[in-house]
Amino acid sequence: MVNDQQSGSITIKTKSVNQKHPIEALRKVGQMKKQQFWIILVYILLSIVMIGCTAAATEIFPQETEQEMIAKPPVDEIEEVEEVSEDNDRLQDEEGISSEARFTITADSVLQGPITELYEGFFEGETPVFVNADADLIATRSISINTGRPTFEATFLPGFVLLPGSESLDVRRFINFAISPEGQQVLIDAGELPAVISITDQAGNSLEIQQPLQRVISAFGPATSIVYSIGAKETLVAASYTGAGDPQGASVMERIDPRFPTLASDDFFSRQNFNIEEAAILDPHLIIGSARSSWLDVVDQLGISVFLMDAETPQQLQETVNLFGEMFGPHSSAQAQAWIEYYDFIITEIADQMGDLSPEERVKVLFTGTEPLRVASGDMYQTDMIEAAGGISVSADLLGFWNDVNLEQIAIWDPDIIIVPPYGGASVEAITESTEWQILTAVQNGRVYRMPRLVAPWDTPGPDSVMGIVWMVERLYPGLTAFSCESEAEYFYNTFLNYAISGDEIAAICLVE
Amino acid sequence: MGLILLLPILLFVISLTLGRYQISAPDVVRVLLSPIFPDIADGIPLIARQLVLQVRVPRVLAALLIGASYGATGTAFQAIFKNPLVDSNILGVTSGAGFGAAIAILLMRSTWQVQLSAFAFGLVAVSLSFFGSRLYKTTPLLVLTLMGILVGSLFNSLTSLLKYVADPLDALPAITFWLLGSLTNITWNRMVALVVITLIGLGLFWLLRWRLNILSLGDQEAKSLGVDPIQMKIMIIFIATLMTAVAVSISGVIGWVGLVIPHAGRLIVGPDHKRLMPVSIGLGGSFMILVDNVARTLLPGEIPLGVLTGLIGVPLLIILLRRARTGW
């Protein structure tokens, strides 16, 4: 071994001596030193530049998002509270110590304890006045009426709601407080609500979630849609959105939620990407992601709860909405239940109103993708929607995801209706204005439609998809059911997104091109 | 040479302070010491501690080891194949690993399965090249190179086939991202194999580095100097394959480093492997840390490493070429 090594190094020496004159070799050593110096200099310079870059980047990509996000939601609350206390002072200044309560409350005896806690938490130093009838505020067990579209009231404890009995501003404020995270905190402190809930997400992981849930990062567009439609948007600190990437979607989203521009962070958090450093800055209590996200391992290392959702079928979607309701507290839970009831209501009503259609009478539907020759498979949510709307998906035998087919296959299917999605540059014209497609009955009859959207496309598995079913049944069987896109859209966005959708917007969405 | 070996360690420490979440350098040092002195990190938010210990340290360490590994294996392959255009992928290990990862992403998804499958198929590819070359007896090196290229393109075709059938919303982006290379998903428990195999491999290459000189002279000369060239080459190929496979299985495909770092090293210290091997290790590690820092800090989303190695590496190499005075 030792011998080998020596002989090896000797060979090298003789070789280099043979090649170069000794003096030259010496000069070479000097140059080598110089060379090393340059290399190191370059590395150090690059490191400095990079440190500079990071600093600049953190300045450019706003750090203040964080502060704004923390500051913004409480600002309203604080102002409100201050207003209240100012009112208080004024009242007391004008009338001395007011013995008159702000409003009267009717409550079951079991509810009087929690109501008192809430009342004392909101109007400091005051006690509530309970009466038996003609109260300004009624706390009662919620009654579900299973006819027509569901409604939901301010649910402050599971199964119990607060109903206003007068128009008083204090009553409204009190109700809002009772269902806000602050009000929920009061009830948790009083032992009326659990401080921690355990839940199993749709990837099968069980997690413990602190109540009331706040500071949520939603790293998956459909998850964000669900959070919005169960009235929990105030809990978000950053979110990925579906359909809000273009100016049109973004402007609607901004009307739905003024915080949208600061919340939108698809660059940082999406199904493909998760910027863990940015997440650490936001200090979230919960991260919601898709079970198919590729970033799960690393996020686990931060020690933050991660809820993974997987909603690709109607059943899974309902389950997801239900789980979200459980996580976000009693009021969101009631709203989630209302959404599930509405979904069931639409599906059963459509089935009832259509009666028994024979397979021959059913409309054959082709759902195409971002390219006209790309069609939805039977495994996709779009197929479930077509079936819920009483149609038959001609491409239901295909498996997997979007499938590429040729025009001959589509001609064999001969669909009655073709639906194109509202994303990825898909357009009705790409089909109707192409000469080859004229051979199809659907094209000849002008029955090629584009699926609408408000923000999220109505064919993505999210809360809005129920609107997609309503719209589809109207296209498939005009006049056969009592549903209209216009009236359901008005109900849906007012009820679940608390968004006063304008007549023009409804007309634009439901307009058939 | 000593300086170049110190460089990655210096960069390692600097890099830990880099990131969107700002943690000052003294805090980073306190957090680093906290496993030994538990009280030292008091007052630093838990999330910052987790970020440094569980996210940044494994990631920067992985970059260091993978870069060093590519530098060393590239140098070794270039020496035994006596060909400066050879890199760690010469026997198809990267292509095989890419195929292994793609099939695992398509069928199973869990990260450790992807890693294992990439590693296994990397070894399968090299075995195919190696035993395939045995079919033809003469000039084994040339046949081996040819087989490597053939096996590599075979696995590349298979990967393309998988990409074609993959779900474009789900698996396809994951496969593409993997093939471009990334250290996003590094965690401590995925590092075990990398640390063990890479450190042993680097150690062996360090000890064998003078033999690379002999091997690069040619088989006759090596024999006359008492080294069995065939046995030695097989051993070096085996070590380098294991190292590359484990590196690729963790980071995805990062081309370029194994090819160019040895040249950069040669520009600095010349062709003597006794010096070249340590310099390649140091340069590879430093370069990878540097590139990964850019990948994780420059944009909100990750930039694939395979994209950056070229973008950053080519200008660096041009500077080196301009400055070079030493023999190749």
Side-chain angles (χ1 to χ4, degrees):
Chain A
M1 208 41 167
V2 177
N3 264 336
D4 276 4
Q5 195 157 1
Q6 276 169 352
S7 63
S9 44
I10 287 163
T11 336
I12 296 310
K13 269 178 197 155
T14 43
K15 199 184 168 198
S16 57
V17 169
N18 281 347
Q19 278 175 351
K20 302 247 158 126
H21 196 265
I23 299 167
E24 232 176 293
L26 273 178
R27 200 186 299 155
K28 199 175 113 186
V29 171
Q31 279 167 351
M32 224 142 62
K33 285 269 148 63
K34 214 169 140 192
Q35 195 58 49
Q36 284 181 358
F37 169 75
W38 277 109
I39 299 301
I40 290 157
L41 194 69
V42 164
Y43 267 108
I44 290 172
L45 280 178
L46 268 170
S47 320
I48 292 169
V49 165
M50 268 182 33
I51 295 169
C53 277
T54 359
T58 31
E59 256 167 53
I60 294 164
F61 298 106
Q63 193 92 61
E64 72 251 22
T65 2
E66 181 211 0
Q67 275 123 25
E68 271 178 31
M69 278 168 190
I70 304 168
K72 245 190 175 169
V75 162
D76 301 342
E77 305 285 344
I78 292 162
E79 275 173 3
E80 241 174 67
V81 173
E82 274 170 2
E83 255 174 66
V84 171
S85 55
E86 270 169 32
D87 281 359
N88 237 337
D89 294 345
R90 225 180 300 132
L91 273 177
Q92 285 176 352
D93 285 348
E94 283 166 12
E95 302 172 26
I97 296 160
S98 162
S99 58
E100 201 153 319
R102 291 162 186 276
F103 51 82
T104 55
I105 305 169
T106 304
D108 303 349
S109 53
V110 283
L111 293 179
Q112 287 190 0
I115 294 282
T116 309
E117 295 281 349
L118 278 173
Y119 196 91
E120 288 172 358
F122 191 50
F123 305 113
E124 273 169 48
E126 297 179 36
T127 45
V129 175
F130 291 101
V131 295
N132 285 329
D134 287 336
D136 301 318
L137 177 70
I138 302 133
T140 179
R141 196 174 290 278
S142 66
I143 310 151
S144 64
I145 310 149
N146 276 334
T147 54
R149 298 159 175 163
T151 52
F152 55 91
E153 303 295 342
T155 309
F156 67 113
L157 286 173
F160 294 103
V161 294
L162 292 172
L163 305 172
S166 79
E167 293 295 305
S168 154
L169 194 63
D170 275 342
V171 171
R172 260 196 7 238
R173 277 201 198 128
F174 180 73
I175 292 177
N176 284 339
F177 172 74
I179 59 172
S180 71
E182 292 77 17
Q184 297 292 302
Q185 187 63 54
V186 170
L187 291 171
I188 290 165
D189 294 341
E192 299 288 343
L193 284 172
V196 177
I197 58 162
S198 30
I199 204 165
T200 305
D201 74 5
Q202 289 170 299
N205 310 313
S206 48
L207 32 150
E208 309 260 293
I209 295 173
Q210 283 281 331
Q211 296 287 301
L213 182 51
Q214 277 177 300
R215 303 201 68 77
V216 175
I217 294 179
S218 166
F220 186 41
T224 311
S225 301
I226 297 177
V227 171
Y228 271 82
S229 42
I230 60 172
K233 63 171 186 258
E234 301 298 338
T235 59
L236 294 172
V237 290
S240 165
Y241 288 85
T242 305
D246 58 318
Q248 191 210 336
S251 73
V252 178
M253 204 59 230
E254 208 171 333
R255 271 176 278 157
I256 292 173
D257 183 4
R259 288 207 302 148
F260 162 71
T262 49
L263 289 181
S265 41
D266 296 74
D267 289 344
F268 294 109
F269 312 113
S270 66
R271 202 166 64 163
Q272 287 307 320
N273 240 326
F274 193 89
N275 191 314
I276 196 154
E277 305 255 345
E278 187 69 18
I281 294 173
L282 293 170
D283 189 22
H285 297 175
L286 179 73
I287 295 165
I288 303 176
S290 160
R292 296 150 186 244
S293 296
S294 46
W295 39 257
L296 304 172
D297 292 354
V298 177
V299 177
D300 277 349
Q301 309 292 313
L302 270 190
I304 299 168
S305 305
V306 184
F307 181 95
L308 298 179
M309 65 169 276
D310 188 14
E312 298 294 330
T313 67
Q315 291 74 26
Q316 281 178 331
L317 179 61
Q318 293 199 345
E319 187 192 311
T320 313
V321 173
N322 184 36
L323 287 172
F324 273 48
E326 281 182 40
M327 288 193 289
F328 284 89
H331 184 68
S332 290
S333 185
Q335 195 162 333
Q337 291 312 315
W339 181 86
I340 294 170
E341 279 169 36
Y342 180 59
Y343 198 109
D344 289 339
F345 165 75
I346 290 289
I347 287 179
T348 48
E349 274 298 300
I350 287 175
D352 285 356
Q353 291 182 15
M354 281 200 309
D356 291 330
L357 286 181
S358 65
E360 291 77 40
E361 287 173 304
R362 289 192 184 268
V363 173
K364 289 181 289 177
V365 184
L366 176 70
F367 204 108
T368 65
T370 48
E371 304 284 330
L373 288 174
R374 186 163 294 161
V375 302
S377 79
D379 295 342
M380 290 172 68
Y381 188 71
Q382 281 81 353
T383 306
D384 294 307
M385 290 176 69
I386 292 169
E387 278 162 16
I392 294 172
S393 168
V394 291
S395 54
D397 289 339
L398 298 176
L399 300 176
F401 204 60
W402 295 105
N403 280 239
D404 288 323
V405 296
N406 55 33
L407 194 58
E408 285 189 38
Q409 180 59 57
I410 294 177
I412 294 167
W413 284 330
D414 194 23
D416 301 312
I417 281 194
I418 299 173
I419 299 174
V420 303
Y423 45 79
S427 75
V428 171
E429 290 74 30
I431 290 175
T432 54
E433 286 173 7
S434 132
T435 36
E436 307 92 79
W437 285 72
Q438 302 305 323
I439 53 170
L440 298 176
T441 336
V443 180
Q444 286 161 12
N445 296 341
R447 296 186 80 184
V448 183
Y449 305 107
R450 184 182 157 104
M451 179 66 96
R453 65 173 188 132
L454 181 66
V455 180
W458 283 1
D459 66 322
T460 47
D464 296 47
S465 63
V466 58
M467 294 308 308
I469 297 174
V470 170
W471 173 87
M472 220 187 260
V473 80
E474 217 186 340
R475 296 281 80 74
L476 264 56
Y477 306 100
L480 196 68
T481 65
F483 289 111
S484 80
C485 172
E486 287 84 359
S487 57
E488 297 307 314
E490 190 181 357
Y491 161 80
F492 184 88
Y493 290 109
N494 274 291
T495 310
F496 292 104
L497 269 78
N498 197 17
Y499 173 55
I501 188 168
S502 69
D504 291 347
E505 269 180 293
I506 294 179
I509 294 174
C510 296
L511 175 80
V512 177
E513 289 163 11
Chain B
M1 193 177 98
L3 279 176
I4 287 180
L5 280 175
L6 277 179
L7 191 64
I9 296 167
L10 186 74
L11 277 173
F12 179 83
V13 178
I14 294 175
S15 300
L16 291 180
T17 64
L18 296 177
R20 301 190 73 85
Y21 190 102
Q22 289 186 332
I23 309 172
S24 66
D27 279 1
V28 167
V29 175
R30 276 162 67 201
V31 170
L32 285 180
L33 293 175
S34 65
I36 311 164
F37 312 102
D39 296 337
I40 203 169
D42 285 350
I44 299 172
L46 181 67
I47 201 153
R49 278 188 262 169
Q50 299 277 53
L51 200 60
V52 170
L53 289 179
Q54 308 293 336
V55 179
R56 285 189 192 169
V57 173
R59 181 161 182 170
V60 180
L61 187 63
L64 169 64
L65 287 175
I66 288 169
S69 166
Y70 278 133
T73 51
T75 308
F77 274 131
Q78 288 183 5
I80 58 174
F81 284 92
K82 286 180 282 182
N83 179 349
L85 296 178
V86 156
D87 72 355
S88 328
N89 189 28
I90 181 66
L91 297 179
V93 56
T94 316
S95 310
F99 170 76
I103 203 163
I105 288 171
L106 212 57
L107 299 181
M108 296 171 288
R109 290 315 303 262
S110 99
T111 10
W112 70 267
Q113 284 165 327
V114 173
Q115 198 180 325
L116 193 69
S117 165
F119 183 71
F121 273 96
L123 298 188
V124 167
V126 176
S127 315
L128 274 181
S129 311
F130 191 79
F131 292 109
S133 70
R134 291 285 170 109
L135 296 175
Y136 189 78
K137 273 295 171 190
T138 52
T139 55
L141 268 188
L142 185 67
V143 182
L144 189 56
T145 317
L146 185 63
M147 278 311 287
I149 291 169
L150 289 180
V151 170
S153 59
L154 169 74
F155 277 106
N156 282 341
S157 313
L158 289 174
T159 310
S160 301
L161 180 70
L162 289 183
K163 280 167 84 173
Y164 181 73
V165 299
D167 176 343
L169 207 75
D170 200 352
L172 183 62
I175 295 176
T176 314
F177 196 68
W178 198 93
L179 289 177
L180 284 171
S182 162
L183 292 173
T184 319
N185 271 330
I186 298 292
T187 56
W188 277 117
N189 49 16
R190 296 184 62 200
M191 293 269 295
V192 181
L194 176 75
V195 172
V196 173
I197 293 183
T198 308
L199 286 183
I200 292 175
L202 289 178
L204 286 173
F205 276 143
W206 186 287
L207 295 175
L208 291 173
R209 64 192 195 276
W210 60 274
R211 286 183 194 236
L212 291 174
N213 280 334
I214 301 174
L215 287 178
S216 61
L217 293 176
D219 287 1
Q220 294 302 325
E221 288 82 350
K223 259 184 205 146
S224 69
L225 288 166
V227 173
D228 178 355
I230 305 294
Q231 203 188 359
M232 201 72 236
K233 278 176 188 168
I234 291 177
M235 188 171 144
I236 286 171
I237 288 176
F238 180 71
I239 301 170
T241 300
L242 277 181
M243 284 168 72
T244 316
V246 77
V248 173
S249 75
I250 281 203
S251 68
V253 179
I254 303 172
W256 210 90
V257 182
L259 174 68
V260 176
I261 289 297
H263 289 297
R266 243 169 257 140
L267 288 173
I268 298 171
V269 297
D272 178 358
H273 287 93
K274 277 186 79 178
R275 306 165 65 94
L276 180 58
M277 182 55 83
V279 165
S280 293
I281 291 173
L283 277 184
S286 313
F287 180 70
M288 212 60 209
I289 292 181
L290 209 65
V291 169
D292 187 50
N293 282 345
V294 176
R296 69 192 173 94
T297 54
L298 195 65
L299 294 181
E302 285 278 330
I303 308 169
L305 286 177
V307 175
L308 282 179
T309 44
L311 285 181
I312 298 176
V314 170
L316 267 183
L317 193 76
I318 289 173
I319 296 173
L320 274 181
L321 275 175
R322 214 181 124 53
R323 294 280 161 195
R325 300 283 188 278
T326 51
W328 201 271

